[in-house]
């Protein structure tokens, strides 16, 4: 299983950014993927026990969002590219973090990090004022 995030960078507060997570090595249409974030000085291992931002079941396309980003962030999947996206809009200073995608080896919609089996290396989002 391989997850490769991209799309991070510097964005102005109030702006938008779309992150990508290219997935390979598993049946993309049968699992769940989610986006998490962690403070820049911490690694994704610290996410265990915490909750993610957005999740999508790739078998039926259902999604779930953490209340803190609902209405601002949108998760979507491109099955032809086996890629999951996180579109972030109206970005705030508090959104600055390392963003990770992860896969849960079952079509179960969950934001709980402890259920996720594989993780990418992350992509950093910096917010400028």
């Amino acid at each position: 299983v391989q997850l490769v995030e991209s799309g991070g960078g510097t964005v102005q507060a109030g702006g938008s950014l779309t992150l990508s997570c290219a997935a390979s090595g598993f049946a993309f249409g049968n699992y769940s993927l989610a986006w998490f974030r962690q403070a820049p000085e911490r690694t994704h291992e610290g996410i265990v026990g915490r909750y993610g931002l957005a999740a999508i079941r790739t078998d039926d396309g259902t999604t779930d969002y953490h209340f803190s980003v609902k209405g601002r962030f949108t998760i979507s999947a491109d099955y032809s590219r086996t890629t999951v996206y996180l579109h972030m809009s109206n970005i705030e200073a508090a959104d600055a973090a390392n963003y990770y995608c992860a896969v849960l080896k079952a079509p179960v919609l969950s934001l709980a990090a402890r259920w996720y089996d594989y993780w990418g290396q992350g992509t950093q989002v910096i917010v400028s004022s």
Side-chain angles (χ1 to χ4, degrees), residues 1 12 17 28 51 53 55 64 95 97 114 123:
V1 174
Q12 204 163 17
L17 192 68
F28 185 81
Y51 290 86
L53 307 169
D64 193 16
D95 294 324
R114 66 183 181 275
T123 186

Side-chain angles (χ1 to χ4, degrees), residues 45-57:
E45 284 81 7
I47 299 176
V48 174
R50 298 178 60 184
Y51 290 86
L53 307 169
I56 185 168
R57 276 180 57 164

Side-chain angles (χ1 to χ4, degrees), residues 8-31:
T10 301
V11 58
Q12 204 163 17
S16 299
L17 192 68
T18 298
L19 306 181
S20 301
C21 173
S24 61
F26 63 96
F28 185 81
N30 290 330
Y31 293 159

Side-chain angles (χ1 to χ4, degrees), residues 6 14 22 64 82 86-87 105 123:
S6 62
D64 193 16
T82 62
L86 182 70
H87 180 68
K105 293 192 298 181
T123 186

Side-chain angles (χ1 to χ4, degrees), residues 51-126:
Y51 290 86
L53 307 169
I56 185 168
R57 276 180 57 164
T58 54
D59 62 331
D60 64 6
T62 54
T63 59
D64 193 16
Y65 295 91
H66 191 272
F67 70 90
S68 64
V69 301
K70 202 166 187 177
R72 293 195 303 125
F73 290 10
T74 302
I75 190 170
S76 62
D78 184 329
Y79 294 84
S80 64
R81 290 185 168 89
T82 62
T83 297
V84 172
Y85 302 96
L86 182 70
H87 180 68
M88 308 161 58
S89 63
N90 196 18
I91 289 174
E92 305 168 352
D95 294 324
N98 289 329
Y99 284 73
Y100 299 91
C101 71
V103 61
L104 190 164
K105 293 192 298 181
V108 174
L109 199 61
S110 175
L111 292 175
R114 66 183 181 275
W115 297 118
Y116 283 78
D117 302 291
Y118 299 97
W119 296 78
Q121 291 303 302
T123 186
Q124 186 176 20
V125 173
I126 299 168

